């Protein structure tokens, strides 16, 4: 099978091999990989800042399948005006490529999740760049339009 490493990949490399590729992508983008590493219950995680957005990446295994998850908690919900905000989030959601907007525990998230099977380094790089770029752009727009607090400015 051609996989994340761009060549025939044995399953023996497991999540460690996928994590190594993510670290190569982050290092190439100027992220201090050692400082970005996060402790996770299972798998591997990293966090870094792009512009005004906090980005989190995870390589993990759930129910026997591996996943790449890239997410950004972009803002805390404002105390009023939620209906217009939710409408705007749905409109934005329709315009995103390979990413989605959701709300969890009173925070707006931008995220993308993809199974590791068949994923190569170029696609992983694209997903990371899309989510981090969207998050950096949309957080400021949403705050300007609806108020609330940027997640990264707590």
């Amino acid at each position: 099978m051609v996989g994340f490493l761009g060549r025939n990949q044995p399953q023996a490399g497991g999540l460690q091999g996928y994590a190594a590729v993510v670290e190569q992508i982050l290092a190439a983008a100027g992220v201090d990989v050692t400082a970005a590493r996060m402790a996770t219950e299972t798998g591997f995680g990293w966090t870094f800042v792009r512009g005004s957005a906090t980005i989190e990446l995870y390589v993990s295994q759930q129910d026997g399948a591996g996943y790449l998850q890239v997410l950004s908690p972009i803002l805390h919900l404002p105390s009023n005006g939620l209906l217009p905000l939710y409408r705007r989030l749905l409109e934005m959601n329709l315009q995103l490529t390979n990413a989605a907007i959701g709300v969890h525990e009173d925070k707006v998230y931008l995220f993308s999740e993809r199974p590791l099977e068949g994923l190569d380094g170029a696609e992983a790089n694209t997903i990371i760049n899309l989510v981090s770029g969207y998050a950096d752009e949309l957080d400021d727009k949403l705050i300007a339009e609806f108020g609330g607090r940027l997640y990264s400015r707590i």
Side-chain angles (χ1 to χ4, degrees):
M1 155 172 92
V2 175
F4 195 61
L5 302 176
R7 55 174 162 58
N8 288 338
Q9 177 185 324
Q11 292 292 63
L15 294 182
Q16 184 77 34
Y18 296 116
V21 172
V22 168
E23 289 195 344
Q24 290 172 359
I25 292 168
L26 293 177
V31 174
D32 178 346
V33 175
T34 303
R37 287 187 192 123
M38 297 189 312
T40 63
E41 290 182 24
T42 60
F44 301 87
W46 304 266
T47 185
F48 65 96
V49 174
R50 176 170 177 185
S52 57
T54 300
I55 312 300
E56 299 175 9
L57 285 92
Y58 300 94
V59 172
S60 63
Q61 193 162 359
Q62 302 165 16
D63 300 324
Y67 294 91
L68 171 68
Q69 183 181 52
V70 183
L71 61 96
S72 178
I74 56 178
L75 65 104
H76 293 271
L77 290 174
S79 54
N80 52 33
L82 290 178
L83 188 58
L85 171 62
Y86 287 152
R87 180 182 175 103
R88 183 74 172 112
L89 294 176
L90 285 171
E91 292 167 350
M92 288 177 161
N93 215 22
L94 189 59
Q95 298 171 6
L96 300 176
T97 300
N98 205 19
I101 297 173
V103 175
H104 178 69
E105 296 181 352
D106 292 330
K107 291 184 270 311
V108 176
Y109 284 83
L110 200 123
F111 66 95
S112 180
E113 182 175 60
R114 185 195 186 294
L116 293 174
E117 187 174 336
L119 180 67
D120 64 27
E123 185 180 357
N125 187 46
T126 298
I127 292 168
I128 293 166
N129 284 326
L130 279 173
V131 171
S132 61
Y134 286 148
D136 185 35
E137 176 186 343
L138 296 180
D139 61 357
D140 295 320
K141 284 183 180 181
L142 289 168
I143 291 293
E145 191 172 345
F146 297 100
R149 290 181 323 199
L150 285 176
Y151 179 84
S152 63
R153 304 256 165 75
I154 311 177

